[in-house]
Amino acid sequence: MTETLTLPPTPDGLARAADLLRAGGLVAFPTETVYGLGGDARNDRAVAAIFAAKGRPSFNPLIVHVPDLAAARTVAVFDDRAEAVAAQFWPGPLTLVLPLREEAGISPLVTAGLATVAVRVPAHPVAQGLLRAFGGPLAAPSANPSGKVSPTRAAHVLAGLSGRIAAVVDGGACAVGVESTILGLDGPPALLRPGGVTVEALEQALGTPLPIGGSETRPNAPGQLASHYAPGAAVRLEVTQPAAGEVWVGFGPCPGAALSLSESGDLVEAAARLFHLLRQADEVAGDRGRIAFAPVPETGLGRAINDRLRRAAAPRG
Ligand code: TXA
Ligand code: MG
């Protein structure tokens, strides 16, 4: 058990966080999507510690975070398609799966031994500041115990990982609120996870419809486990008429709903609030309680929101 420090997002706080990372420690930090649990991506022990702190199955590979495209090119091989989407969407909530550059020295634990690597350039100023202060690639899954709800505030990180990590840099609430979109470009383009960049925007950039990973074209991204983001309470979806005793979470006009993703039916607001609301609803419902979500349209950010809700509602393993 270590005492987990809460560091401010100041130059001093980031310098302290970078020192902890250089010593092989784990530091959670805000990105525009969710808080990440960072460790030196070149250090096997640091990466192993990430899996241990999260209780994560080690076959599930991690995303490598770098400050800019130039740094990303040292980790992965970029073709013309990858250059084009990176130029358009980075920094931002998009992760690219590309062929790994062996010489980058990324720990094989990060890639789970695959010949590909997932890379991303986060847009959050605190993530940028930390990456630059540290001066190397950071492996960073979401900073929550494996299978649980992702953190969008420093307090969420501490609720799940306090005593198991060296520090969290407190940068306030995350603006996007769902994880990055994962685009496979190590072969024909494939959507491996819907997220903060919409499928519509990617299809327009690529000029082709985007098949979903796990179709005939390619195997599933490892770690796309069905039950995930699981609160303590049971979750039911597409509910327009809640049952007695259910905590109803609305979207748009839902008279009588206890909580709301967005009263005006705004998907951007709904994504930003999703994980915090899952936690709040869980507290209101209690461990044997039930949470019911109103329908959310399957367009734009609604795809990422519904993906997370379906996993939250999936049978627990
Ligand atoms: O927004 C995000 O992406 C956040 C923040 C912290 O950046 N990170 C995040 O990481 O969501 P994580 O570990 O929770 O999700 C990583 C996903 C996993 O589903 C994993 O299977 C996939 O990325 N992944 C990583 N490397 C891969 C690879 N080489 N091929 C296919 N999928 C990969
Ligand atoms: Mg996660």
Side-chain angles (χ1 to χ4, degrees), residues 37-241:
L37 178 57
D40 185 342
R42 302 156 302 189
N43 178 337
D44 291 333
R45 293 186 61 154
V47 178
I50 293 176
F51 287 108
K54 280 182 65 87
R56 176 161 172 146
S58 56
F59 54 77
N60 191 355
L62 305 177
I63 297 172
V64 175
H65 295 64
V66 290
D68 51 35
L69 177 55
R73 289 194 194 102
T74 69
V75 170
V77 181
F78 281 67
D79 62 13
D80 290 347
R81 302 168 308 169
E83 288 283 346
V85 287
Q88 185 171 342
F89 295 102
W90 279 355
L94 177 68
T95 294
L96 299 179
V97 172
L98 297 169
L100 171 70
R101 277 193 200 282
E102 294 287 346
E103 67 274 22
I106 299 296
S107 164
L109 291 173
V110 170
T111 55
L114 297 169
T116 56
V117 63
V119 270
R120 136 164 160 84
V121 175
H124 197 291
V126 176
Q128 281 284 332
L130 182 61
L131 285 164
R132 288 175 200 281
F134 175 61
L138 287 178
S142 50
N144 53 283
S146 188
K148 299 298 183 192
V149 179
S150 296
T152 52
R153 302 176 182 207
H156 298 166
V157 175
L158 291 170
L161 296 176
S162 185
R164 318 184 66 153
I165 64 177
V168 56
V169 182
D170 188 349
C174 302
V176 176
V178 288
E179 293 88 344
S180 60
T181 302
I182 305 183
L183 175 64
L185 282 180
D186 52 320
L191 179 71
L192 303 184
R193 177 176 74 186
V197 169
T198 66
V199 175
E200 291 90 334
L202 282 177
E203 290 183 332
Q204 194 167 28
L206 292 162
T208 76
L210 204 48
I212 293 174
S215 68
E216 315 90 86
T217 51
R218 57 174 297 143
N220 229 329
Q224 299 296 336
L225 308 172
S227 173
H228 213 92
Y229 310 102
V235 177
R236 206 158 67 88
L237 303 182
E238 312 264 344
V239 176
T240 50
Q241 207 69 77

Side-chain angles (χ1 to χ4, degrees), residues 239-289:
V239 176
T240 50
Q241 207 69 77
E246 274 184 332
V247 176
W248 193 29
V249 184
F251 178 81
C254 292
L259 300 164
S260 179
L261 285 165
S262 167
E263 280 173 19
S264 64
D266 176 10
L267 288 169
V268 175
E269 181 184 31
R273 303 187 55 174
L274 174 66
F275 291 136
H276 187 59
L277 271 177
L278 258 174
R279 287 165 190 268
Q280 278 189 317
D282 203 24
E283 267 173 37
V284 176
D287 258 7
R288 293 224 190 82

Side-chain angles (χ1 to χ4, degrees), residues 7-8 10-22 129-130 133-134 169:
L7 298 172
T10 57
D12 279 356
L14 294 180
R16 184 83 191 276
D19 283 343
L20 292 168
L21 289 165
R22 276 189 281 273
L130 182 61
F134 175 61
V169 182

